[in-house]
Amino acid sequence: MINRLKYILSMAVFFAVGGIGNLYAQEQVVDVTQWGAKPDDGKDDTKALRKAVEYACDHPGTTLYLPPGKYLLKDKEALKLEQEVMQGKMGANPEKVVYTPYYPYVKGLDFDGAKHVTVKADRAILMCEGWMEPVSLNRCKHVAIEGLSIDYVRKPFVSGEVVEIKPSCFEVQFSAGKRVTDEMPLTRMTFWEKDKNRLYPEPIYFPERELLGNNRVRFHHSIPDYLLGSDVTVLNSLHFRPAILIYTSEDTRLSDVTIHAQPGMGVVGFDSKDILLERLSVVPSKGYYLSTNTDATHFACCTGTLHFVGCNFQGQGDDATNVHGYYQTILEHHANKARIQVNATTYTHAQVADVPRVGDTLELVEKKTLKPVTSYIVREAKHRNPETSVEVTLSENLPENSSAYYLMNISKLPELIFENSVINSHLARGILVKTKKARIVNNVFRACTGTAIHIGAEANWHEGTHSRDVFVQNNVMIGCGKGAGNQAGAAGIAVIIEAQDTKDSYLHEHVCLENNMIMGEGNPCGIYVGNSKNIILKDNKILNCKKDYIFHSVDQISDEQK
């Protein structure tokens, strides 16, 4: 609603100052079948769809209409990449090759520079063949995608069933759709407990295989006997490009979009402003138990409002969302000039540099504590692709011992609203909050293997910052935090700082945890609060946890439990 009001007001101003008065007259609906795309005919629709997208980018005000059915999105370079990964040419962990800065990749539908464009899909499904970024939104303004589904002809994983368990090994019968070979990379294995209808909390990384013939494979690892009959999913890669990229764009809306599979994340937003996700679904397709290989959504260095409403997430290989900025390493400096770089394990999640804007505020952050020390205004920023570092000129001189500090751009942090959504069983945390304003209300979290809501900066991932003005209210969290992604033993909520030294630091501020229902399964605590001040705890109900709360370095806490 906020974005729509902004849009209406901006259009009113546009007309008042003598803009194109016949804008609405220019709006037109273009049916992709006019360009030769035909759903459900089994033929390649890529060329036709790309022509339709190119037309829309050249004609602001266009609505692209996709009639119901499946459209094949196929690219020879994307197919080549998939084949090379499956043949082991990218190594046992393809992420180290294909998920690196400025690595070349295929954009399925490229909306570069589109303005006032709507994609209106009437139960239309993009069936991708070959590893690609199916939808790319770069330098876009006022673009909406409605009703589109994204899936893959061949899933970026193999799936089967546990058919035998022995003390030191177990056997899996994989489906006939994809043959497991000695060369095929198998990066992470997860189990879906069918009786409990949830993900087993502990994955196996890089499982050791022994091919037995007829697509039956023995894995030399120990698992509990009750996993007999469970569904098994083994990824062919961890990170890769997202299904939808939102990059350097403004006012983007995804409505009733569904993502069933992607050899990476579902939606990545980077360096973009005002994103609305209405009824986004990242869920497995029928007959499968995994959706995206990694995060369902991930947003870094964005501004404005990031709004989730009525969304549904299940079976993704990592968090439902992670919202943050980056702690940049100071590689070298002289006086007020510096060369900085994101030194996170996987660089930025868009695999492009985090470039500050002139006028942005950069905080100088102590590495060992993540405490901000002072701040600077960016006077100049220089970057050239494909360099991974950025040269900045700041308003003041940096300290001589700059290696003890990070620089964090606090001007690129959005306000997060996450409401009326469901996060069902998946790997790791539900929501990660590393931004200054957030409102998480009226959501249901069930069987996340990690803590349901994690509010906290993470030095090891170079992701921050500490949070302020966070409201977590009226949420239900059931059976979370029993495995991968657990934070400090918390089932429901962890307010935490991950750094070398967390003694006597009160970085999170004005956090309200109110009227949340948390039902654990013997977890150490329901809620963990650390490194915080001005905390309100009110009317939270916590069951089946050893302690309701664990506290660490907390100041000015208001406990109003009934």
Side-chain angles (χ1 to χ4, degrees), residues 14 21 41 76 80-81 107 131 230 233 237 257 260 289 295 300 319 340 343 387 389 433 446 475 482 517-518:
F14 181 67
D41 66 353
K76 65 178 182 180
K80 180 182 177 183
L81 176 62
K107 298 178 181 179
W131 285 17
S230 296
T233 301
S237 183
V257 168
H260 286 307
Y289 296 91
D295 300 33
D319 316 309
I340 62 177
N343 277 347
E387 293 178 359
S389 62
V433 180
R446 176 189 171 270
N475 300 284
K482 291 296 290 181
M517 170 69 174
I518 300 170

Side-chain angles (χ1 to χ4, degrees), residues 29-32 62-68 71 117-124 144-148 253 255-256:
V29 177
V30 176
D31 191 321
V32 297
T62 297
T63 293
L64 281 184
Y65 173 69
L66 281 75
Y71 298 80
V117 169
T118 298
V119 176
K120 198 170 188 64
D122 182 7
R123 291 166 288 127
I145 299 178
E146 303 173 359
L148 185 68
R253 176 168 57 88
S255 298
D256 300 298

Side-chain angles (χ1 to χ4, degrees), residues 172-199:
V172 176
Q173 180 62 59
F174 286 98
S175 62
K178 202 171 188 179
R179 187 171 65 88
V180 178
T181 66
D182 285 322
E183 297 78 20
M184 175 187 287
L186 300 178
T187 60
R188 183 174 65 213
M189 172 184 287
T190 53
F191 305 84
W192 190 271
E193 301 179 55
K194 294 178 182 177
D195 291 344
K196 296 181 180 179
N197 195 30
R198 68 178 186 183
L199 195 68

Side-chain angles (χ1 to χ4, degrees), residues 201-323:
E202 296 294 345
I204 298 173
Y205 284 86
F206 303 101
E208 182 184 348
R209 80 197 81 170
E210 178 186 349
L211 305 185
L212 303 177
N214 297 320
N215 224 19
R216 183 165 171 147
V217 181
R218 178 179 295 135
F219 293 98
H220 293 273
H221 300 267
S222 297
I223 60 173
D225 290 340
Y226 67 79
L227 288 180
L228 184 66
S230 296
D231 182 87
V232 173
T233 301
V234 195
L235 307 184
N236 298 128
S237 183
L238 296 168
H239 287 298
F240 180 60
R241 302 304 306 181
I244 300 175
L245 176 69
I246 304 170
Y247 176 46
T248 58
S249 295
E250 295 182 18
D251 192 15
T252 304
R253 176 168 57 88
L254 305 182
S255 298
D256 300 298
V257 168
T258 299
I259 299 171
H260 286 307
Q262 179 65 22
M265 297 182 177
V267 180
V268 167
F270 188 73
D271 204 4
S272 293
K273 179 181 180 181
D274 292 333
I275 299 171
L276 175 61
L277 306 170
E278 297 178 305
R279 299 175 300 281
L280 169 71
S281 292
V282 180
V283 296
S285 52
K286 187 176 180 180
Y288 293 89
Y289 296 91
L290 183 86
S291 52
T292 57
N293 280 19
T294 50
D295 300 33
T297 70
H298 196 113
F299 297 90
C301 309
C302 292
T303 59
T305 301
L306 171 59
H307 191 177
F308 292 77
V309 57
C311 298
N312 186 20
F313 302 98
Q314 179 176 314
Q316 68 271 9
D318 214 316
D319 316 309
T321 198
N322 185 353
V323 183

